[in-house]
């Protein structure tokens, strides 16, 4: 059996390290050179308002009914994106978005695209099991 | 317990009953989503997938959360031998949760979203949940007394409650522009919070299942043992630091990934321990299999094993590159939330809602069939998602990628299997849950005229609502 004192010691150490780790991330967050604009920040809120993430992924995270959109901006282009947003598809609803919302969403997808690549083919696997992007 | 007692179910029990309702309705939404996978455009005009997915995920997540709260609140009373400190706070907590969950589900129908994965509701609705959780914490601390010489499950409950609150609040840091403006920063903190949050509710559930095992075994050897605490600290260490395995492919700080890779591997120790004690578990299983609660704990054991193997594999970045973004992730998530969390909760439900108002005998066959149907269905369900995931992983890695829709078409046989097994899983769970709910109904309503039942529930409007809910299920 462990004594109460030992338990308190272990848990205190764990909690202190957890808080240090958490705050180091809040204060020194990973930021990429993304073109953050007024329009793209608005686009993020439009993205959330229509719950696009229920069907789409960004960096592989989200719902799985539709494709990952991380790099759709550089792969397919703004005009292509706008066609989808304006019309929907058999599965994707037409949200009857305003021109402004469409522009904002497109700017947001451009921002995501500039943050990195989500294409697993572009990663190299290291012998120790880690990956390099 | 006397048959046909007409006392009111206590509040923790109401948590479990509300949770069971969410389980069943949540699975119906899951099947609806499965249909939409197979029939593109199904129900699109009014109930498209962006509504169905959160209806499903929020319902089942709240099944786990309400169920866990019911379990902790009941077992805490059994542990201390005293009532919960404040019934008023308890009721406030219950109604805050039940009403908020209802509003959340209705808001999804109306297409009102906060649009964050898992917590897809409007951010304002997170406030009553946070307040309800704080009430839970206050009541827990006041009822517990102190931490001196407490068994491992009490530690687990307390850490679970505290860390859920922390991570829940953390998952709302995005409302501040500082945290949401950069995609990589936002997603890092989002998945930091989610990863640890799952660990927190697991603390509540595993703690409760240890309590229940003690109760079945009629001794507390395990819950005071050194190994129990070593495993608990290993779990807590993982809760705090292994969340990075959700975001190996995100271009975030490399040290986040290295830390989580290394920490995740300590789960091998837990895996080893499970294999080591397998034989003992098996003999115990044979001995106790007649106890209904025990059966679910035995099934959960198997699913802990399968899930852990998959989780450890997925925690190796070189393997994660293939599985990430495919239905293998969904297999992992649903395998864990059904096979582990839901089965533990069903074990607990049978323990909590065990008033013997009606003989279980006539339902034995139904229950047994339901139990096996659910387990076999879950295995097929899980394998079909892994199958779909393997094909999608191959597509993701292929040099000449065909169009997304063509790839999805090739996955259809797996989606069909997913839908069929998901439906039989739902049937199995209904067969399991029906005798429970029916028993509750008999306990509180039958042989008491409706009028008496209403009298019984006439204290507060809230209790009348719960009575109405119970009537609705059974009529
Ligand atoms: C106790 C029962 C269940 C629980 C606890 C549960 C839990 C979950 C969770 C947590 C997710 C999110 C997965 C992720 O993001 O990786 C999910 C997604 C989903 N579940 Fe379930 N589930 C249950 C039963 C079912 C059933 C019976 C079906 C029927 C086919 C189903 C269909 C789905 C679908 C279609 C998704 C969305 C997948 C996507 O993102 O594209 N679920 N479920």
């Amino acid at each position: 059996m462990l004594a109460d004192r030992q338990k308190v010691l272990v848990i205190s150490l764990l909690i202190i390290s957890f808080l240090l780790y958490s705050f180091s991330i809040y204060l020194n967050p990973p930021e990429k050179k993304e073109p953050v604009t007024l329009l793209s920040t608005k686009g993020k809120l439009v993205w959330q308002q229509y719950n696009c993430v229920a069907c789409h992924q960004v960096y592989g995270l989200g719902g799985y009914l539709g494709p990952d959109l991380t790099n759709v901006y550089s792969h397919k282009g703004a005009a292509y994106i706008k066609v989808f947003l304006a019309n929907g598809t058999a599965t994707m609803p037409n949200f009857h978005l305003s021109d402004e919302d469409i522009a904002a969403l497109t700017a947001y997808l451009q921002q995501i695209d500039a943050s990195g690549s989500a294409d697993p083919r572009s990663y190299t696997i290291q012998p120790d099991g880690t990956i390099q992007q | 317990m006397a048959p046909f007692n007409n006392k009111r179910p206590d509040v923790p029990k109401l948590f479990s009953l509300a949770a069971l309702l969410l389980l069943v309705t949540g699975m119906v939404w899951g099947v609806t989503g499965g249909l939409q996978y197979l029939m593109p455009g199904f129900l699109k005009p009014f109930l498209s997938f962006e509504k169905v997915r959160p209806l499903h995920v929020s319902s089942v997540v709240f099944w786990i959360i309400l169920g866990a709260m019911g379990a902790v609140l009941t077992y805490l009373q059994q542990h201390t031998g005293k009532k919960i400190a404040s019934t008023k706070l308890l009721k406030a907590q219950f109604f805050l949760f039940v009403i908020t969950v209802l509003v959340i589900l209705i808001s999804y129908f109306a297409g009102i979203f906060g649009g964050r994965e898992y917590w897809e509701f409007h951010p304002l609705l997170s406030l009553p949940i946070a307040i309800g959780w704080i009430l839970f914490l206050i009541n827990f601390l006041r009822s517990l007394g102190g931490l001196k010489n407490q068994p491992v499950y009490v530690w687990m409950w307390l850490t679970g409650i505290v860390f859920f609150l922390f991570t829940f609040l953390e998952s709302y840091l995005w409302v501040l522009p500082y945290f949401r403006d950069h995609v990589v920063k936002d997603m890092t903190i989002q998945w930091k919070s989610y990863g640890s949050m799952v660990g927190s509710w697991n603390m509540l559930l595993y703690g409760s299942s240890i309590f229940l095992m003690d109760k079945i075994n009629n001794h507390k050897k395990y819950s005071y043992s050194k190994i129990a605490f070593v495993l608990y600290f290993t779990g807590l260490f993982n809760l705090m630091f292994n969340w990075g395995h959700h975001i190996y492919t995100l271009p975030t700080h490399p040290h986040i990934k290295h830390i989580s890779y290394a920490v995740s591997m300590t789960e091998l120790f837990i895996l080893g321990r499970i294999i080591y004690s397998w034989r003992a578990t098996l003999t115990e299983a044979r001995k106790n299999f007649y106890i209904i609660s025990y059966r679910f704990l035995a099934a959960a054991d198997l699913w802990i094993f399968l899930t852990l193997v998959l989780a450890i594999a997925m925690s190796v970045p070189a393997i994660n590159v293939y599985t990430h973004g495919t239905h293998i992730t969904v297999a992992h998530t649903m395998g864990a939330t059904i096979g582990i969390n839901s089965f533990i909760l069903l074990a607990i439900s049978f323990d909590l809602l065990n008033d013997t108002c009606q003989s279980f005998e006539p339902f034995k066959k139904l229950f047994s069939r339901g139990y096996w149907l659910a387990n076999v269905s879950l295995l097929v369900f899980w394998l079909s998602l892994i199958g779909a995931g393997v094909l999608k992983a191959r597509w993701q890695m292929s040099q000449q990628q065909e169009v997304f829709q063509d790839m999805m078409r090739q996955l259809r046989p797996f989606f069909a299997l997913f839908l069929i097994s998901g439906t039989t899983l739902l049937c199995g769970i209904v067969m399991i849950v029906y005798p429970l709910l029916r028993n509750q109904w008999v306990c509180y309503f039958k042989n008491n005229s409706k009028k008496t039942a209403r009298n019984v529930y006439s204290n507060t409007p809230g209790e009348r609502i719960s009575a109405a809910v119970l009537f609705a299920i059974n009529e």
Side-chain angles (χ1 to χ4, degrees):
Chain A
M1 238 173 79
L2 291 174
D4 275 346
R5 224 176 19 160
Q6 290 167 304
K7 294 174 198 163
V8 171
L9 185 73
V10 176
I11 203 156
S12 308
L13 276 175
L14 280 173
I15 289 178
I16 291 168
S17 346
F18 175 72
L19 287 176
L20 285 175
Y21 189 38
S22 299
F23 279 89
S24 81
I25 292 169
Y26 303 154
L27 299 174
N28 170 28
E31 280 177 20
K32 293 288 147 182
K33 287 192 195 65
E34 303 164 24
V36 182
T37 62
L38 212 59
L39 194 62
S40 73
T41 47
K42 176 169 182 269
K44 183 187 188 81
L45 296 179
V46 180
W47 168 271
Q48 291 190 188
Q49 184 188 339
Y50 290 98
N51 207 16
C52 308
V53 80
C55 298
H56 291 290
Q57 307 103 67
V58 173
Y59 286 107
L61 296 161
Y64 298 97
L65 194 59
D68 188 301
L69 295 182
T70 315
N71 300 116
V72 66
Y73 187 87
S74 57
H75 289 171
K76 311 261 173 83
Y80 177 92
I81 292 173
K82 285 180 177 160
V83 172
F84 273 86
L85 294 184
N87 303 297
T89 68
T91 310
M92 173 170 155
N94 177 352
F95 293 103
H96 305 287
L97 300 162
S98 66
D99 289 345
E100 210 187 327
D101 280 352
I102 291 181
L105 279 169
T106 312
Y108 179 52
L109 288 173
Q110 182 182 10
Q111 180 193 330
I112 296 176
D113 181 58
S115 70
S117 161
D119 184 346
R121 291 171 300 182
S122 65
Y123 309 151
T124 38
I125 297 173
Q126 313 286 333
D128 60 0
T130 59
I131 49 172
Q132 206 154 41
Q133 278 164 293
Chain B
M1 210 171 280
F4 301 124
N5 58 9
N6 59 355
K7 67 181 177 54
R8 275 173 271 138
D10 56 353
V11 187
K13 218 181 215 179
L14 291 179
F15 276 99
S16 303
L17 284 171
L20 283 171
L21 273 182
L22 283 169
L23 167 68
V24 174
T25 50
M27 289 183 77
V28 173
W29 295 122
V31 170
T32 313
L35 276 167
Q36 290 176 326
Y37 255 89
L38 215 57
M39 297 192 271
F42 178 65
L43 294 183
K44 186 176 125 189
F46 43 91
L47 209 60
S48 177
F49 193 72
E50 79 277 10
K51 295 182 177 172
V52 171
R53 190 182 194 274
L55 278 168
H56 171 57
V57 176
S58 292
S59 300
V60 296
V61 166
F62 281 113
W63 136 249
I64 294 172
I65 290 175
L66 291 186
M69 290 194 299
V72 171
L73 288 164
T74 309
Y75 289 160
L76 178 64
Q77 300 184 74
Q78 296 181 4
H79 171 70
T80 59
K82 287 188 288 208
K83 285 230 149 274
I84 290 291
S86 163
T87 316
K88 256 196 205 130
L89 280 191
L90 198 57
K91 285 184 182 163
Q93 180 195 344
F94 177 72
F95 290 114
L96 266 174
F97 271 94
V98 169
I99 293 168
T100 311
V101 170
L102 270 180
V103 174
I104 285 172
L105 298 180
I106 293 169
S107 71
Y108 291 152
F109 275 106
I112 300 168
F113 300 112
R116 307 284 290 184
E117 202 176 356
Y118 301 130
W119 304 121
E120 285 162 283
F121 46 81
H122 194 279
L124 273 180
L125 290 169
S126 64
L127 281 178
I129 292 181
I131 295 170
W133 200 270
I134 292 170
L135 300 185
F136 181 30
L137 175 62
I138 295 173
N139 229 350
F140 182 87
L141 289 175
R142 279 181 52 194
S143 313
L144 180 65
L147 261 184
K148 212 169 156 194
N149 201 22
Q150 292 286 8
V152 73
Y153 49 80
V154 168
W155 287 74
M156 295 172 87
W157 291 335
L158 186 57
T159 17
I161 296 175
V162 171
F163 273 87
F164 184 91
L165 186 61
F166 181 93
T167 53
F168 185 73
L169 295 176
E170 188 182 42
S171 75
Y172 278 93
L173 285 176
W174 70 267
V175 298
L176 308 172
Y178 168 80
F179 287 102
R180 75 161 174 259
D181 278 354
H182 286 74
V183 176
V184 176
K185 169 161 67 174
D186 181 29
M187 288 184 72
T188 301
I189 294 172
Q190 182 182 10
W191 286 91
K192 172 184 185 313
S193 66
Y194 291 172
S196 306
M197 195 184 300
V198 172
S200 316
W201 77 53
N202 279 334
M203 282 282 170
L204 299 180
L205 287 177
Y206 293 165
S208 303
S209 81
I210 292 175
F211 179 91
L212 180 58
M213 270 315 264
D214 274 5
K215 207 165 131 179
I216 292 174
N217 290 334
N218 211 10
H219 63 69
K220 293 192 173 182
K221 251 193 285 180
Y222 178 76
S223 46
Y224 282 98
S225 68
K226 195 169 182 174
I227 182 71
F229 276 90
V230 171
L231 287 173
Y232 155 66
F233 287 128
T234 313
L236 183 57
F237 182 52
N238 271 277
L239 175 163
M240 292 170 164
F241 301 105
N242 81 2
W243 48 267
H245 57 217
H246 295 284
I247 49 171
Y248 281 145
T249 64
L250 187 72
T252 188
H253 291 316
H255 72 259
I256 291 180
K257 303 179 194 180
H258 294 142
I259 288 176
S260 101
Y261 179 23
V263 173
S264 297
M265 291 306 122
T266 62
E267 289 183 348
L268 281 168
F269 168 65
I270 303 180
L271 189 65
R273 159 82 197 177
I274 293 177
I275 297 171
Y276 175 75
S277 54
W278 201 253
R279 284 257 306 270
T281 318
L282 272 184
T283 25
E284 220 171 296
R286 256 182 243 123
K287 202 174 71 209
N288 289 328
F289 209 63
Y290 70 97
I291 302 171
I292 289 177
S293 293
Y294 191 87
R295 276 199 207 186
F296 288 106
L297 293 183
D301 257 9
L302 174 71
W303 281 100
I304 288 175
F305 178 75
L306 290 177
T307 304
L308 207 54
V309 170
L310 187 61
I312 293 175
M314 286 165 68
S315 298
V316 177
I319 298 178
N320 186 276
V321 167
Y322 294 92
T323 61
H324 190 69
T326 73
H327 293 86
I328 296 177
T329 311
V330 189
H332 169 64
T333 320
M334 282 208 261
T337 48
I338 304 171
I340 306 176
N341 296 345
S342 298
F343 282 179
I344 288 179
L345 274 172
L346 285 171
I348 293 169
S349 305
F350 272 91
D351 185 49
L352 297 193
L353 306 173
N354 68 347
D355 319 53
T356 46
C357 305
Q358 192 185 26
S359 163
F360 191 68
E361 214 47 46
F363 298 110
K364 253 191 168 153
K365 220 176 198 165
L366 182 74
F367 168 84
S368 250
R369 285 185 184 151
Y371 176 82
W372 289 111
L373 184 63
N375 272 288
V376 173
S377 304
L378 180 57
L379 189 64
V380 178
F381 187 74
W382 191 69
L383 289 173
S384 65
L385 283 168
I386 292 183
V390 168
L391 288 196
K392 188 172 176 197
R394 244 183 29 196
W395 172 80
Q396 278 182 350
M397 283 297 188
S398 66
Q399 286 311 320
Q400 256 107 39
Q401 247 172 29
E402 50 196 331
V403 218
F404 178 79
Q405 275 311 326
D406 289 343
M407 177 274 295
M408 286 293 267
R409 215 166 291 126
Q410 285 170 25
L411 266 53
R412 283 173 67 91
F414 289 101
F415 292 149
L417 203 58
F418 167 64
L419 175 63
I420 295 168
S421 54
T423 310
T424 51
L425 175 61
L426 167 64
C427 296
I429 298 271
V430 168
M431 286 155 76
I432 290 167
V433 169
Y434 174 74
L436 255 186
L437 293 177
R438 169 142 185 110
N439 185 36
Q440 288 299 304
W441 180 54
V442 172
C443 274
Y444 298 105
F445 301 108
K446 222 173 163 189
N447 279 15
N448 304 323
S449 66
K450 276 187 191 175
K451 199 163 144 260
T452 347
R454 216 171 297 122
N455 282 342
V456 165
Y457 281 90
S458 61
N459 285 6
T460 66
E463 283 164 348
R464 256 173 271 139
I465 295 173
S466 344
V469 170
L470 278 175
F471 271 119
I473 331 164
N474 290 289
E475 284 193 350

